[in-house]
Amino acid sequence: MFAVGRSGNAMSMNPSNNDTTQDSVSAKVAESKARRTASRATAPASKAAGKAADKAGEAASAAADVTEQTAKATNAVAHTTAERVEAGRQALVSASGRAAAFAKSTWTLIANRRIFVAGVGAGLTVLGATSYAAGRRAGRRTLGPITRMTGGRF
């Protein structure tokens, strides 16, 4: 029933009934009522906070989905761009190859111009002779068999 205090004097372990500043039963009842009222008052707020946390989680999930889709789209654009760059490079290589072949042919023609001119001249000569012969043949009058036999006298 008695405990030893720091000073060494005996102290009562039960609260004294002589203290007028304490309302033992009514204070405890009021305290428990205040706790219940506070918990009831904060319950909607805690539910709202839970809903807000859920909404925040959903928003974060949606943001993660959007980020993932954006990353995929960016990756696709980069891949397509790389393909187009490669196609452009191949077209450039092909065009430069054709230009080099044309330049080589032109240079060969210029370097061998005497042979080229001689070939063109020979071709034109053959063409002219052929057309002259064809024209002479077409310009002749046709003769019948008797006229041919008599040499054109009858």
Side-chain angles (χ1 to χ4, degrees):
M1 283 206 114
F2 290 95
V4 178
R6 288 187 177 170
S7 63
N9 296 332
M11 296 179 59
S12 172
M13 293 180 70
N14 292 333
S16 142
N17 289 336
N18 294 336
D19 194 357
T20 58
T21 60
Q22 277 189 345
D23 290 339
S24 61
V25 176
S26 63
K28 289 180 183 177
V29 169
E31 183 181 345
S32 67
K33 284 183 180 180
R35 282 187 191 151
R36 275 184 292 204
T37 305
S39 69
R40 286 181 190 153
T42 58
S46 65
K47 286 181 184 178
K51 287 181 181 179
D54 290 343
K55 296 282 185 186
E58 290 174 6
S61 176
D65 289 344
V66 167
T67 303
E68 183 179 347
Q69 290 174 355
T70 303
K72 285 180 182 178
T74 304
N75 189 17
V77 166
H79 184 67
T80 303
T81 303
E83 287 177 351
R84 289 183 180 168
V85 166
E86 180 62 23
R89 186 190 67 78
Q90 288 177 355
L92 183 63
V93 167
S94 175
S96 65
R98 280 183 284 188
F102 178 74
K104 184 177 179 185
S105 299
T106 304
W107 182 251
T108 303
L109 183 67
I110 290 171
N112 300 316
R113 65 185 176 273
R114 290 184 184 138
I115 298 170
F116 177 72
V117 169
V120 169
L124 287 174
T125 303
V126 169
L127 181 65
T130 306
S131 66
Y132 178 75
R136 291 277 296 169
R137 185 88 172 135
R140 292 172 92 191
R141 290 184 309 148
T142 57
L143 304 173
I146 297 174
T147 309
R148 274 193 308 241
M149 271 179 27
T150 61
R153 291 187 205 135
F154 295 110

